[in-house]
Amino acid sequence: MTHQLLTMIWTPRIFQALLAAFADVKFFFLIRTLENRDTAAWTFFCYLCSWFSWYCCTRTLTNSMETTITCLALFYFPLPESKTHSSKKYVALVSLAVIVRPTALIVWLPLLIYHFWKEDDKLKLVTHTFFPIGASALVVSTLIDCIFYEKWTLVQFNFLKFNVLHSVADFYGSHPWHWYFTQGFPVVIGPHLPLFLHGCFLAFKRYKVLLAAVLWTLVIYSFLPHKEFRFIYPVLPFCLVFSGISLASLKSWRRAAAFFLLVSNLAAGLYTGLIHQRGPLDTMSHLGTLCDISSISSPPQPDVLFLMPCHSTPFYSHVHCPITMRFLECPPDLGEDGYIDEADRFYDNPLLWLRTSFPYKHSVPTHLVLFDVLEKEILAFLQSNNFVKTSEIFHTHFPEGKVGGSIFIYQRH
């Protein structure tokens, strides 16, 4: 893999990591102005110990950027006794978060209402801060989108229409209404949960606006059928404020609780960050070597087909060269009668799909990427077209359904 390719893969991650680290520092300075030195230190310890933060903060997801910007905005938000308050700065950051991911408005709506309610000069706040900054951000965002889409486009409205009004996100899976309360939130906050609940009793009056934002976010997201852990990541920093206050108050049990937090979060963070479901990245690193083959070899050029649930791996973001690649597509149902996506058609009868899609040997791809659970079903196709397994890549200790424990790469000879 060339240095240029490594740079293109790693630069976005390093940028996100540096931004997340900057937000971490801002969070510490904020807590130090709100609490005494001892409480601030233990709160920051809780913040740094979060396994889910380790797992998500450096990932190039819009949820990660939304959380980082939310943390920066909180530094300037008028919390009780805050010494770093700046309305214009936090509103500008909130506007940026909404542009990055419109769902940021869900998290910030209770906080914006709280600020409006506490402000003495409400009219000035709206006319000099909320409206001009919010409107400017929306105009700039719309102009940029229109330039790239080459037509008038309001992305924020399309996001709302696509995911909420038309419920297209449900196509990618749905969960019961209580999922965030019974599974999602407990997993995201992890071992901090008992401390969070205790901290809510200790600091309810002082930080009730943060608790309101957490509960509001969980309730609103519970109305949406499609649910994911990462959706509620932006409220995690709010929760860790309560966890830190609880830990600081334990006195005699403090060190034992801190040791448990560190060990349990370290185990979860290392496992999910380095081992669990690492197969897709390792697979793309392996396929990246085909770029060198593509530049020096004569036909047939590399032609890769991913026989996996759609979006199982990265794509050209990790293979920056013009080799042919395609995956089983699963665009959402936009109201078509009897709609069945390509991935579902494939998994209904994998062998028939392959024989129908590639009736002639010259049309068969040079490389197939698949989970181990699919191998037996398409073994006849692999043998008849002289495919040889060239790599077996670990993916997970917990295979489920169409997702296997290993990823196989087959090459046609």
Side-chain angles (χ1 to χ4, degrees):
M1 191 174 291
T2 65
H3 293 298
Q4 183 180 10
L5 177 55
L6 286 172
T7 300
M8 296 182 75
I9 293 172
W10 280 98
T11 298
R13 301 188 203 178
I14 293 172
F15 174 77
Q16 176 61 33
L18 292 174
L19 194 61
F22 179 64
D24 292 347
V25 173
K26 284 289 188 180
F27 180 85
F28 173 68
F29 287 140
L30 171 64
I31 297 301
R32 198 171 66 175
T33 65
L34 298 176
E35 301 289 341
N36 61 55
R37 184 176 294 272
D38 186 59
T39 303
W42 286 109
T43 301
F44 194 53
F45 174 81
C46 282
Y47 181 84
L48 294 180
C49 276
S50 170
W51 80 270
F52 197 78
S53 258
W54 296 349
Y55 181 65
C56 279
C57 70
T58 61
R59 299 180 71 184
T60 51
L61 299 168
T62 53
N63 307 90
S64 301
M65 182 63 76
E66 176 190 359
T67 303
T68 299
I69 298 173
T70 291
C71 219
L72 293 172
L74 191 65
F75 180 80
Y76 299 106
F77 182 77
L79 289 168
E81 300 180 26
S82 171
K83 300 178 181 66
T84 58
H85 167 223
S86 172
S87 295
K88 285 183 169 56
K89 288 182 180 179
Y90 100 78
V91 172
L93 287 166
V94 171
S95 300
L96 177 60
V98 172
I99 290 173
V100 169
R101 189 171 177 86
T103 52
L105 190 58
I106 296 174
V107 177
W108 276 97
L109 189 59
L111 299 171
L112 294 170
I113 293 172
Y114 169 83
H115 184 193
F116 178 78
W117 175 61
K118 296 286 287 185
E119 186 69 28
D120 293 329
D121 193 343
K122 293 178 173 54
L123 181 61
K124 183 179 179 181
L125 178 65
V126 172
T127 57
H128 286 63
T129 304
F130 285 177
F131 180 76
I133 294 177
S136 299
L138 184 62
V139 168
V140 171
S141 169
T142 302
L143 287 175
I144 293 173
D145 291 330
C146 290
I147 290 171
F148 282 93
Y149 280 102
E150 297 183 345
K151 63 179 180 180
W152 285 103
T153 304
L154 187 59
V155 168
Q156 289 75 23
F157 174 72
N158 288 345
F159 184 94
L160 176 69
K161 181 175 68 173
F162 188 88
N163 290 289
V164 180
L165 301 181
H166 292 172
S167 298
V168 176
D170 304 358
F171 177 77
Y172 297 103
S174 60
H175 297 82
W177 67 268
H178 55 77
W179 186 84
Y180 280 119
F181 291 96
T182 57
Q183 297 179 56
F185 182 71
V187 168
V188 169
I189 197 169
H192 291 81
L193 181 58
L195 293 175
F196 167 72
L197 296 175
H198 180 227
C200 290
F201 287 103
L202 296 178
F204 170 76
K205 289 184 178 180
R206 184 173 172 83
Y207 297 114
K208 56 181 177 289
V209 64
L210 296 182
L211 185 58
V214 172
L215 293 174
W216 162 264
T217 301
L218 294 179
V219 168
I220 293 300
Y221 274 121
S222 294
F223 283 105
L224 303 176
H226 181 61
K227 300 173 174 67
E228 294 188 34
F229 295 112
R230 61 189 175 95
F231 290 171
I232 57 172
Y233 178 34
V235 300
L236 183 58
F238 300 176
C239 300
L240 298 178
V241 172
F242 294 97
S243 298
I245 292 172
S246 169
L247 184 60
S249 72
L250 292 181
K251 306 302 181 186
S252 59
W253 288 94
R254 183 191 296 172
R255 292 189 181 278
F259 179 76
F260 170 75
L261 276 183
L262 181 60
V263 172
S264 57
N265 279 282
L266 187 63
L270 289 175
Y271 181 74
T272 56
L274 299 177
I275 300 173
H276 181 57
Q277 293 184 347
R278 62 172 293 159
L281 291 179
D282 291 342
T283 298
M284 299 315 292
S285 295
H286 183 89
L287 293 177
T289 60
L290 297 179
C291 293
D292 299 330
I293 297 173
S294 173
S295 63
I296 61 175
S297 67
S298 57
Q301 291 287 301
D303 180 3
V304 184
L305 173 61
F306 295 84
L307 297 175
M308 313 166 83
C310 56
H311 311 304
S312 291
T313 66
F315 209 51
Y316 281 111
S317 63
H318 282 60
V319 181
H320 291 276
C321 66
I323 65 173
T324 302
M325 297 196 301
R326 68 171 291 233
F327 58 89
L328 301 173
E329 296 186 1
C330 58
D333 182 6
L334 298 177
E336 235 178 272
D337 291 336
Y339 174 80
I340 302 176
D341 65 62
E342 184 181 38
D344 283 342
R345 291 199 305 272
F346 169 77
Y347 279 107
D348 281 344
N349 193 328
L351 196 56
L352 177 62
W353 187 92
L354 285 168
R355 286 172 172 167
T356 304
S357 301
F358 307 105
Y360 307 109
K361 283 193 177 292
H362 70 268
S363 65
V364 177
T366 61
H367 294 76
L368 297 179
V369 183
L370 56 135
F371 282 113
D372 53 2
V373 292
L374 181 66
E375 185 181 43
K376 288 183 179 179
E377 294 189 61
I378 65 169
L379 190 59
F381 180 83
L382 296 173
Q383 292 174 341
S384 64
N385 287 281
N386 300 320
F387 276 100
V388 176
K389 188 193 303 180
T390 57
S391 298
E392 180 175 343
I393 299 168
F394 170 79
H395 179 59
T396 179
H397 291 114
F398 307 99
E400 182 181 5
K402 300 169 185 175
V403 178
S406 299
I407 296 174
F408 294 161
I409 298 179
Y410 273 86
Q411 182 174 353
R412 181 163 55 88
H413 287 270

